[in-house]
Amino acid sequence: AVAEVQLRDDQYTLDHMRAFGMYNYLHLDSWYQDNVYYVDQFGRIMNLSVTLDTALQKPREVFRLPTDLTACDNRLCASMHFSSSTWVTLSDGTGRLYLIKSGKRGSSASEKWEIVFNEELGNPFIIAHSVSFVKSDAHSLAVLLLRVEKDELDTKGSGFHVTLEWVTIAERKEGDQRYEVVKRRVLQGKSVPHYAAIEPSGDGLMIVSHKPFTFMQNESDKLEENDAKVSNEKKDPLYYWQQTEDDVTVTVPLPQDITKDDIKIHFSPDNICVTLKDQPPLMEGKLCSSVDHESCTWIIREDKSLEISLIKKNEGSRWPELIIGDTRGEFVMDSSQCSKISESLMHLTSEVMNPNPEKENPPCNAQELEECDAFLEDGASLCRFDGNTLKVTHIINLGSNQYLFSVVVNPREMPCFCLRHDVDALLWQPHSDQPDNMWEHIATFNALGYVQASKQDKKFMACAPDYSYAALCECLRRVFIYRQPTPLATVLYNRKEGRQVGQVAKQLVATLEANDPILGFQATSERLFVLTTKTLFLIKVSSGN
């Protein structure tokens, strides 16, 4: 039987239920087609690989966890993640992490799981995600560990918080093929993330969660940051700048002993460089927009400040900043600009809070919303964290775009996530290496957002990596499959509207012959794998029927 771990009496919060009670015990190896794994009650990792031309084999043992799982009182379920085509990260649920070199998986001939690293990493955790990459000539693995921990300071909430520990393990420089932990960083939040994944390069992290996550700092880091804060507070701006529709004026306070001959200013269509005496440039960088560099001038004013006039090439455009990324200056708005802006915003505001509540068409009528439109979680957000600065670089408020599920389309990329957009469900592929196209919309499941909302008992949701169908299962027996629309071979008319129908999207329901709850659910392009305590079901979802 599958090594299911029931929630204990002290794991009573919604977060415990989400992280561990709704855990997917079936693991899909995205690097090899139709290849799934689960852990059984003897601590054996069992694999089932399906090849199209052979009969179904029995699940086979590929590895056995060295520890006796039943001996640990506060253990969680065992978890695993396939970091690459030859590396696996594995947890036994007691707080120990294993790095496994597996050989090429999916066939018994080349698959051999060997422990390369194993270490106790504190409280029990489950593996949320992992990646394998090469950095400065050393092979590294980054793993994301999820824990729900008691929070003594939280007296008003649930009494628990959620941590994500980002652990980087790298090959030692000695070349003895031994691995060691080189970095451990912890993020803390108040809800179990819907989605948490490390970028393929190991340089960043993306999280979709209902409540925000922040990095916990070491005491030494905190002191350094406080020092930096104090020094930042004392500093005056390096320069002040103003703008009109056609020009930008920059004022730089100068030290006492600077004369006209000490100042060198170089203008080009997109850049500026200001140097005093033989010092490093005082201001240098790419301007926010192009200027007519031949018409730009500078003078020294009576109050010993340097005044630079830049003539905008695109008249009328407002610059949000002077030099891209330079925060050392301060923008000064003159009073006429202030009144102009407030006038242009006037129509958006009203003196009275709700001037006409009896109006015929109120902006939104809560009574017209259907039950499935009332989201339990308003305000989830998608954040990207930079691995070096540990700061958020991007944040998107998902609002009513409810998170539905995630799926690996290409194992070399980050997992995709599916969000509800109105009645549909849209699939988004993160591209961490493309700042201008960081989230790409790659597929749409028509009406899936609406349909899934009515399934009160849904436990897992997934879609095929080729987007040919989406599927969801309830806690017991029933599996729903939603195919993408396909062209019809015969002519079909919609009698009500008298129009010809060219495509039909089929919905299928499978009822499993099992009384045990569903513990695992994975979709591939050809089949659905559904795991209960004692049975692994395969549902063939071929595109033809």
Side-chain angles (χ1 to χ4, degrees):
V2 176
E4 182 187 3
V5 178
Q6 302 285 348
L7 289 180
R8 303 187 305 270
D9 290 348
D10 60 349
Q11 295 174 318
Y12 51 80
T13 68
L14 184 60
D15 285 325
H16 287 104
M17 188 65 203
R18 280 226 170 103
F20 315 129
M22 300 282 278
Y23 187 72
N24 194 340
Y25 284 85
L26 189 60
H27 304 277
L28 178 68
D29 182 354
S30 308
W31 301 87
Y32 300 92
Q33 210 175 352
D34 291 278
N35 202 27
V36 292
Y37 293 79
Y38 65 89
V39 184
D40 74 7
Q41 284 176 341
F42 296 121
R44 298 182 303 180
I45 312 260
M46 305 299 286
N47 162 246
L48 182 78
S49 304
V50 184
T51 47
L52 295 175
D53 48 359
T54 57
L56 277 182
Q57 307 291 316
K58 271 192 167 162
R60 61 189 178 93
E61 177 184 339
V62 292
F63 182 75
R64 192 175 292 220
L65 286 164
T67 43
D68 174 17
L69 297 183
T70 50
C72 175
D73 287 342
N74 66 336
R75 77 183 174 98
L76 300 171
C77 51
S79 56
M80 68 180 88
H81 190 265
F82 301 95
S83 322
S84 78
S85 58
T86 55
W87 286 90
V88 185
T89 49
L90 180 64
S91 153
D92 58 9
T94 68
R96 185 170 283 278
L97 178 72
Y98 297 89
L99 279 197
I100 309 279
K101 202 169 184 178
S102 65
K104 282 200 160 34
R105 299 184 294 274
S107 74
S108 46
S110 56
E111 184 164 5
K112 186 171 184 299
W113 290 38
E114 289 173 56
I115 300 176
V116 178
F117 166 96
N118 88 77
E119 205 167 294
E120 195 71 48
L121 292 177
N123 289 338
F125 56 82
I126 56 173
I127 297 173
H129 190 243
S130 67
V131 291
S132 160
F133 55 95
V134 173
K135 202 159 235 139
S136 49
D137 294 342
H139 175 243
S140 306
L141 283 115
V143 196
L144 216 45
L145 315 177
L146 174 72
R147 298 181 175 97
V148 180
E149 297 182 312
K150 257 202 147 359
D151 188 338
E152 303 301 336
L153 303 171
D154 181 14
T155 50
K156 291 198 172 71
S158 65
F160 291 88
H161 61 233
V162 178
T163 63
L164 276 172
E165 185 174 6
W166 180 359
V167 182
T168 309
I169 298 159
E171 195 171 5
R172 298 217 317 217
K173 291 279 187 288
E174 286 77 47
D176 53 8
Q177 294 197 323
R178 294 197 28 214
Y179 283 73
E180 60 187 356
V181 174
V182 290
K183 237 186 216 172
R184 293 180 71 167
R185 292 161 292 186
V186 177
L187 290 120
Q188 195 174 299
K190 287 305 248 175
S191 69
V192 168
H194 299 303
Y195 171 101
I198 304 166
E199 296 173 357
S201 60
D203 291 329
L205 184 66
M206 287 187 199
I207 297 176
V208 177
S209 62
H210 179 39
K211 303 246 174 81
F213 273 78
T214 47
F215 272 101
M216 304 310 291
Q217 292 172 310
N218 306 333
E219 289 306 311
S220 58
D221 293 353
K222 272 189 188 161
L223 291 172
E224 272 176 34
E225 191 165 274
N226 287 343
D227 292 348
K229 264 190 194 156
V230 170
S231 60
N232 279 352
E233 278 164 16
K234 290 177 187 163
K235 275 189 183 166
D236 282 331
L238 183 68
Y239 57 87
Y240 298 88
W241 64 289
Q242 287 180 297
Q243 62 177 323
T244 65
E245 301 217 329
D246 3 271
D247 61 26
V248 174
T249 307
V250 187
T251 309
V252 187
L254 293 173
Q256 286 297 318
D257 53 342
I258 294 289
T259 65
K260 194 173 179 181
D261 300 334
D262 298 330
I263 300 169
K264 286 193 177 59
I265 301 184
H266 176 68
F267 299 113
S268 70
D270 297 307
N271 285 276
I272 186 171
C273 179
V274 179
T275 0
L276 303 182
K277 283 192 173 164
D278 300 325
Q279 296 167 357
L282 185 69
M283 290 165 63
E284 184 180 29
K286 190 174 181 347
L287 292 166
C288 180
S289 185
S290 299
V291 294
D292 177 0
H293 64 292
E294 288 173 355
S295 309
C296 296
T297 56
W298 62 274
I299 56 164
I300 294 185
R301 289 188 4 198
E302 290 163 12
D303 62 355
K304 271 290 190 196
S305 63
L306 168 65
E307 186 177 284
I308 304 169
S309 299
L310 305 172
I311 310 301
K312 292 181 181 177
K313 213 165 207 160
N314 308 324
E315 290 180 11
S317 65
R318 284 189 59 73
W319 290 16
E321 55 186 341
L322 177 67
I323 295 170
I324 292 172
D326 189 344
T327 54
R328 298 171 304 162
E330 186 178 299
F331 177 60
V332 183
M333 199 183 280
D334 68 24
S335 54
S336 67
Q337 279 174 313
C338 289
S339 56
K340 226 185 234 174
I341 287 175
S342 59
E343 262 171 47
S344 66
L345 298 176
M346 200 63 184
H347 70 285
L348 298 176
T349 60
S350 151
E351 295 289 308
V352 199
M353 278 299 276
N354 187 357
N356 188 0
E358 300 303 315
K359 211 168 104 181
E360 270 184 26
N361 293 325
C364 169
N365 181 353
Q367 288 159 342
E368 283 175 16
L369 290 176
E370 296 187 29
E371 204 174 305
C372 63
D373 291 317
F375 292 120
L376 181 66
E377 341 196 272
D378 258 357
S381 59
L382 162 62
C383 289
R384 181 197 175 263
F385 290 86
D386 181 283
N388 297 317
T389 62
L390 308 188
K391 300 253 186 304
V392 175
T393 60
H394 298 69
I395 181 160
I396 293 173
N397 181 11
L398 299 178
S400 61
N401 299 119
Q402 178 193 7
Y403 173 89
L404 299 177
F405 61 89
S406 72
V407 58
V408 176
V409 167
N410 172 359
R412 284 180 177 75
E413 294 249 24
M414 296 178 79
C416 302
F417 50 83
C418 190
L419 304 177
R420 179 178 173 174
H421 290 252
D422 197 18
V423 297
D424 299 330
L426 270 58
L427 198 59
W428 298 88
Q429 171 69 66
H431 299 292
S432 54
D433 53 347
Q434 300 175 27
D436 301 335
N437 183 29
M438 199 165 273
W439 294 284
E440 181 192 1
H441 167 221
I442 55 168
T444 301
F445 297 99
N446 295 319
L448 182 64
Y450 185 75
V451 172
Q452 61 80 35
S454 64
K455 301 280 182 281
Q456 295 294 312
D457 294 332
K458 75 164 178 284
K459 183 169 185 182
F460 297 120
M461 205 167 169
C463 78
D466 63 358
Y467 338 125
S468 55
Y469 68 90
L472 61 87
C473 71
E474 295 182 338
C475 299
L476 267 173
R477 289 199 198 90
R478 286 203 302 178
V479 176
F480 298 85
I481 299 164
Y482 305 99
R483 280 190 200 287
Q484 289 284 25
T486 48
L488 287 169
T490 55
V491 176
L492 188 68
Y493 281 98
N494 179 329
R495 287 186 185 166
K496 215 172 183 181
E497 296 171 17
R499 63 185 171 86
Q500 191 174 329
V501 178
Q503 289 189 317
V504 161
K506 288 187 178 172
Q507 296 187 15
L508 312 170
V509 184
T511 305
L512 309 178
E513 293 174 19
N515 297 319
D516 300 316
I518 294 176
L519 296 180
F521 190 69
Q522 295 289 355
T524 67
S525 301
E526 297 279 339
R527 2 184 119 60
L528 262 172
F529 294 84
V530 188
L531 181 72
T532 67
T533 315
K534 299 193 182 69
T535 320
L536 177 59
F537 292 89
L538 270 74
I539 302 172
K540 194 157 166 33
V541 192
S542 61
S543 46
N545 51 35

